[in-house]
Amino acid sequence: MFPVFHLAYEGAVIQLTSGCGTVATMRRLGLCAAALLVVGCGDRGSVTFNLKAPENPLFNPVLQPELVSEYDIRTATGMVIGVASAVQGSAQGESGLLPLGALMPGASAEDVFVTALSGGNLLGMARIRDVVIQSGKKAAYDAELRKPLIFVGSTLPAEINTGNRTTSVQILDPVASTDLARASSSPPIVAGGMTAGATSWDGRFLIVAQGTTLTAFDNGFGRNVSGSYTLPFAPSRLLVAPRDTAIVALDPGMSGAIAILSDVAGFAASPGGASPKIVNLTGAVARTAAFSPDGTKIYVLTGGPSADPCSPGAMPAANAIQVFSLDGSSIGSFALGGFASDIAVDPQSGMIIIADVAGKQISTLDVASGVTSPVLGSLTCPSAVRVVNGVIFAVTSDRDTSLPNAFVLKRIPLKGGAAVVATAFQGPQYEIPIDSTPSPNGNIQTATLPVRPVSIQAYELAITPDGSRAQFATRAHYKEVNTKFTFSQEDCTANFDIIEYGLYAVDLRTGNASYAQRSKLVQSPAGGTKCVDCSITIFGSTQHQYADCDSVAGDRPAGLAASFGQ
Amino acid sequence: MRAALVLTLLCATVAHAEETRRTVAVLEYRAGAKGARDIGMRLARLLRETAAVNVIDAAEARRRIPKVDGEVAKCGGEAMCVGVIGEQLGANEVLLIGVSQLGDLIIALQRIDAKRGEAGARMAESLPIDAEIKDEQVLGWLKQLFPPETFRRYGSIAVDADQAGASVTLNGEASGKTPLGSAIKVRAPATYKLRLEKSGFMPFQARVDVLPDANVEVHATLVRESKDAAWYKRWYVWAAIGGVLAAGGAATAIYFGTRTESTPLGFVHRP
């Protein structure tokens, strides 16, 4: 499926097969030096990582090889195996076979992460299972480099509006800051849309749910694989286990089930042949879930996906984390002290990170001892949490008081010992049009009454593997009950309940944030009429002026999935 | 082991410094000009980002006084009138931006004391209609209008220790002894090396990053260095052992890294 990109040098092809193992196809003298080094290594052995690129050039992270400064090879635990310089002009960067130097032999097979960097910027990644580095042994591993893409699907909001409709899947490329699905020529399309999604551990596939239909999108060719499987429910979430050992789909319905499909590669090769195991939760509905680092346990947070714990007056009941093995057997549960909105698992320590709304904190749960410890406190509705490279990312309803309408995403190292980094992002704004007469010169136009939300909930969050970008889907709530204010010397009363869905992108290096509104749905007053009532008394007669609140039909973002990220 | 101990002792949080600062309302008056549409909000943003002042931008001003644009327009640039609006907004002063289009685009900036209704520093800039105004340019205007001290920003470090009488130094300069009466005001953004020392205790060290207008709290627990302790409980014994282990580790790494007969070579075959 992925062709090996041989070197494009002219001249005679030299095929070298050495006693120590490296087989290389080389076409110029410069490479012979590296080859001779390999030949001359006697019985010490070698390990070669053959990097490949996706077929579709839009998905190729090293389409411009001159941008690559180095290839970084690490174990899954973060230990450096080797770094190869790819800078053009350097001794290494001139050839296609870049030396990593002597490697430390290991006693057992380990998973390895390959990263292509341009200076400090992540261009692409690859994950390889079960790499063995042994003295006197030769080995070669194919690594499929892929971009750290973020996929964003679309589903209908629970708030009914006749004009609501879903949109096509976005394929966001953080490196180029573009949406590949909206490229000018031959854009890749996730056929049928996506209501829930997750990327495979090796980055090769996007597992896609469209309603009850489950299929896969190939990130190499940029198209759906053939075939699909129909689940007995339309999943609210999909997850792929580390090392691609399983796919899990969460049922949002009252029956409270999860479907476990083993073997991601097998599913992608033949989705129609899937045979999922359906497991019923004990008296609960799944809200979200996460896998243990080794991919053998599923931690399911109960509480249902629809509860918005950040909404004013919301007090959802305490939920729990139920634990299952991949064969579906229940192997325990952790009762939580109050309602938690989200969980994530630290790939290094295996600890569960909990967005504890009731406790107004982010806490860790040691699965071995069952002990929870606060990491970050005094938070207003921490609704979404992820942990990448040992750093916790939490979206909160905390306000940045230095700005008129801004909320805060917080970051803190899991191990502590450093200050909290707070990144403000401008809150959404609802504008109520007020009748007014434009000024004669046209500079002063129709007036609007800007309203900021009373709460914001991030119901899905994706972080790129280098922790440089956060993408999150939000549900903002505008709610005023008999709120009095003065507008243009008139006494006004506001009564409305409006839900807004949108999508944020935050560059965590610069703090720049962008927001795309997806829908604004007026729940009350009915029809949106008379949401603001202003009155003025003239000569004893009270005149009323009303403002209406209009809905903007649309969708809500769903199925956020970051390749190699969380 | 010692490093791990220190990590557990350091707990830092960030809170906004509660300090009385001047409030500047950035208001805009347009005389039929269509250029530089975002100039008011940009000026407000840059002032907020670079100066030690609270800023009320146009959006916030409209929230507080819905017809503020019309009221400013009525003032016709008259300082006393604009000052009254500034007071109604709760500002100490108004930075009034006048945008007009007389062939070129003319941007006039004027500082007005809200309470006294008096005009202070002012400047005007003439630009081509389609000129792209850069942030550096706008920042330059602000630095012409406001004195340098306006752009000095500070944060603070609140140091709290479980032992009284520990001497506190920041970047090697003495900053008093615990308990400190108040947080130490420092220039920001900057990184400081904090050290607490007390006889009979192991020194406490931390690197502290201070952001503008932020207060970093450091809670230090000093660990007693008991002379009666067994030799293996002395920190310098473990430091020496650590050094030996580090040297041993380095030697092992060098050995494995340089010996040629048994370590395999690695290669990356790039696309």
Side-chain angles (χ1 to χ4, degrees), chain B residues 51-105:
Chain B
V53 293
N54 296 320
V55 175
I56 298 171
D57 61 17
E60 174 63 11
R62 286 181 200 121
R63 195 184 67 76
R64 297 185 187 187
I65 306 175
K67 285 193 169 179
V68 69
D69 295 309
E71 298 296 324
V72 172
K74 278 183 200 166
C75 287
E78 204 274 309
M80 184 66 78
C81 176
V82 175
V84 169
I85 297 171
E87 283 226 285
Q88 288 172 349
L89 288 168
N92 301 102
E93 70 173 89
V94 174
L95 176 58
L96 183 65
I97 308 160
V99 185
S100 51
Q101 207 163 312
L102 301 167
D104 283 351
L105 186 72

Side-chain angles (χ1 to χ4, degrees), chain A residues 32 36 61 111 391 440 481 492 560:
Chain A
C32 291
L36 289 171
D111 296 340
V391 177
V481 179
C492 303
L560 270 64

Side-chain angles (χ1 to χ4, degrees), chain A residues 99 173 224 234 356 488 497:
Chain A
D173 179 351
N224 285 47
D356 178 1
S488 185
D497 188 346

